[in-house]
Amino acid sequence: MADMKKLPVTYPMITSWQWHATLFSILSDDENAKKWIFSNYIQLRCYDIQEIWTGEDILLTDMMPGSSSLKQCPYLVFSLLTKEQIESYCGNVIDFIIKTIDLNGYVYGVFDEAKILCDAEVDYKFPHELFIYGYDRDKEVFYVGDFTFQDHYSYNTVSFADIERGYEVITASEDHVFKDDHKGGRGLYVVIKNSENLTYELDTELIKVNLREYLNSMDSKNHFRMMRNRFNDTTFGIKVYDRVLAQIDKQLHKDEPDFDIRALHVMYDHKVLMYERIKYLMNNGVIKYNQSILDEYATVVTNMLTARNLLVRISITGEIAACPRFKTYLDAAKEKEIGILFKVLSEMEDK
């Protein structure tokens, strides 16, 4: 058994949710994986849920695929191990993670990050997904990717002791990763990169279907009924702009405005990926190279980034008077994106 091992990671192209940051940490630079990445992550959706640890109602916004992407990606080998299996195979979670990394497996699962962040005992929990990609036996630390330790997604170290404490105290009801997979129970995921052989070609037909559904706000859930049929109150596609704006307006009129900016992070990441997708399609001859389209879509990315950053500033400073400017940037991004993507779709359909 080695004294130290770190599996390869690249700072992810998108970071809005931990599942996306994890997948893109492993696959961002892989040319084969890009064929799958750019065939997907086109449709947007949002729906109301209850925040796991606060109990508050939030508007969860995400791309498709969402949290299930680690299992669905053909360039990742995915295994789910229960807490009982982990203890039976290895005795404790520390040895399990080390052995998994020795076998080139990344580890992903829910830990109580309150136990990781606080030296003193606290009377609350903060269940959150953690991505583990390496270890150092001499320093007794794991190498992890997460949002919690800094004000953005970052790679850090966490002690063996904190990982063990953070893992052991999570109950089955708090392990939302297993619960969201309808498996129940408690455990960890093992994810292995498997991209040496081409198993998925760029799917231009799927891109066209997804673009149509996105631009027309079509309901995409029926594509996934074989895996999940708990659907209600879901908004798809371009209409997500309006639903997010309405949610922020609702937050604005509270006695104490409190903005959940995660939807804006997702929407910004969606534009970043869309820009890279259009460039990829041009560079690979799927559509003609057109610098003006790239330049125009770059303004969509800029407007969304400006809207997100402005909302962050408003949430910190309380400058409610700046909210109309936020709507202006969001509306500009929406209008221009619709025009550009209809052009891209039209050229793809003419081929």
Side-chain angles (χ1 to χ4, degrees):
M1 205 175 281
D3 292 327
M4 175 183 175
K5 183 167 182 177
K6 290 168 71 173
L7 298 177
V9 292
T10 302
Y11 193 80
M13 194 187 313
I14 61 171
T15 61
S16 42
W17 291 110
Q18 180 76 334
W19 42 87
H20 297 316
T22 295
L23 185 146
F24 281 78
S25 286
I26 300 170
L27 293 176
S28 271
D29 279 351
D30 191 282
E31 290 304 315
N32 279 344
K34 286 178 182 177
K35 299 176 189 296
W36 179 80
I37 287 169
F38 290 130
S39 297
N40 292 280
Y41 298 100
I42 293 171
Q43 180 67 298
L44 276 177
R45 62 178 173 178
C46 64
Y47 49 90
D48 295 312
I49 65 165
Q50 198 172 67
E51 182 77 78
I52 295 162
W53 43 84
T54 67
E56 295 179 359
D57 292 331
I58 65 168
L59 182 68
L60 190 140
T61 305
D62 203 359
M63 291 171 268
M64 298 179 74
S67 58
S68 58
S69 56
L70 291 168
K71 300 185 290 296
Q72 293 168 344
C73 178
Y75 291 111
L76 295 176
V77 176
F78 174 90
S79 302
L80 182 156
L81 285 94
T82 66
K83 189 171 188 287
E84 292 75 19
Q85 287 174 308
I86 290 167
E87 291 170 352
S88 175
Y89 298 156
C90 296
N92 64 74
V93 71
I94 302 302
D95 286 344
F96 170 77
I97 296 171
I98 289 172
K99 288 180 180 179
T100 298
I101 292 167
D102 283 340
L103 294 169
N104 297 318
Y106 301 85
V107 176
Y108 180 86
V110 174
F111 295 77
D112 177 15
E113 296 193 355
K115 295 290 184 293
I116 294 172
L117 290 170
C118 302
D119 292 331
E121 288 300 318
V122 293
D123 60 359
Y124 63 88
K125 293 181 183 178
F126 179 46
H128 196 268
E129 307 98 305
L130 195 65
F131 169 53
I132 305 175
Y133 64 92
Y135 67 84
D136 188 319
R137 281 179 170 278
D138 293 334
K139 296 178 180 177
E140 294 191 345
V141 297
F142 287 112
Y143 295 92
V144 305
D146 194 78
F147 295 93
T148 306
F149 308 112
Q150 296 185 32
D151 59 359
H152 60 277
Y153 188 79
S154 60
Y155 299 124
N156 298 276
T157 58
V158 176
S159 72
F160 286 180
D162 283 347
I163 287 290
E164 189 166 29
R165 285 200 314 158
Y167 176 73
E168 292 298 337
V169 299
I170 294 293
T171 65
S173 64
E174 293 164 337
D175 190 338
H176 51 273
V177 170
F178 264 48
K179 187 167 64 175
D180 287 352
D181 284 336
H182 322 294
K183 307 284 195 304
R186 173 86 181 96
L188 294 172
Y189 292 164
V190 174
V191 183
I192 298 173
K193 183 177 178 180
N194 182 37
S195 61
E196 291 182 5
N197 298 314
L198 180 60
T199 58
Y200 191 101
E201 293 283 0
L202 183 71
D203 194 334
T204 55
E205 288 303 312
L206 180 61
I207 293 171
K208 286 187 283 187
V209 168
N210 284 337
L211 282 173
R212 285 187 214 106
E213 293 185 347
Y214 174 66
L215 287 165
N216 294 293
S217 297
M218 294 168 65
D219 189 333
S220 297
K221 66 177 180 284
N222 283 332
H223 300 320
F224 303 96
R225 295 195 76 89
M226 78 293 292
M227 296 181 294
R228 180 175 301 183
N229 61 5
R230 299 182 314 167
F231 301 104
N232 85 54
D233 193 31
T234 303
T235 299
F236 292 92
I238 285 291
K239 286 184 180 177
V240 169
Y241 277 95
D242 304 322
R243 186 89 180 271
V244 168
L245 191 58
Q247 178 74 3
I248 291 165
D249 187 61
K250 180 179 170 184
Q251 293 167 337
L252 170 65
H253 288 92
K254 288 183 177 180
D255 292 337
E256 295 182 10
D258 179 23
F259 296 103
D260 183 350
I261 63 171
R262 286 172 291 186
L264 269 294
H265 287 309
V266 171
M267 293 178 75
Y268 170 66
D269 277 355
H270 181 260
K271 309 316 161 198
V272 169
L273 269 183
M274 192 68 79
Y275 176 84
E276 292 300 325
R277 180 185 353 267
I278 294 169
K279 189 163 61 172
Y280 184 87
L281 294 176
M282 289 178 178
N283 289 339
N284 286 272
V286 178
I287 58 176
K288 291 179 293 188
Y289 189 86
N290 187 327
Q291 187 62 49
S292 67
I293 282 182
L294 290 175
D295 292 343
E296 284 186 71
Y297 202 87
T299 66
V300 176
V301 178
T302 301
N303 280 327
M304 188 57 67
L305 177 61
T306 305
R308 186 198 72 178
N309 291 347
L310 181 57
L311 188 62
V312 170
R313 197 181 88 190
I314 293 169
S315 68
I316 294 170
T317 66
E319 298 174 40
I320 303 302
C323 283
R325 288 172 49 216
F326 166 79
K327 182 179 185 303
T328 299
Y329 289 122
L330 208 63
D331 286 344
K334 175 184 174 183
E335 183 179 355
K336 187 168 281 291
E337 181 179 44
I338 291 171
I340 295 168
L341 293 186
F342 268 120
K343 288 180 186 176
V344 171
L345 178 58
S346 177
E347 184 172 343
M348 292 185 71
E349 288 179 328
D350 286 344
K351 281 208 160 188

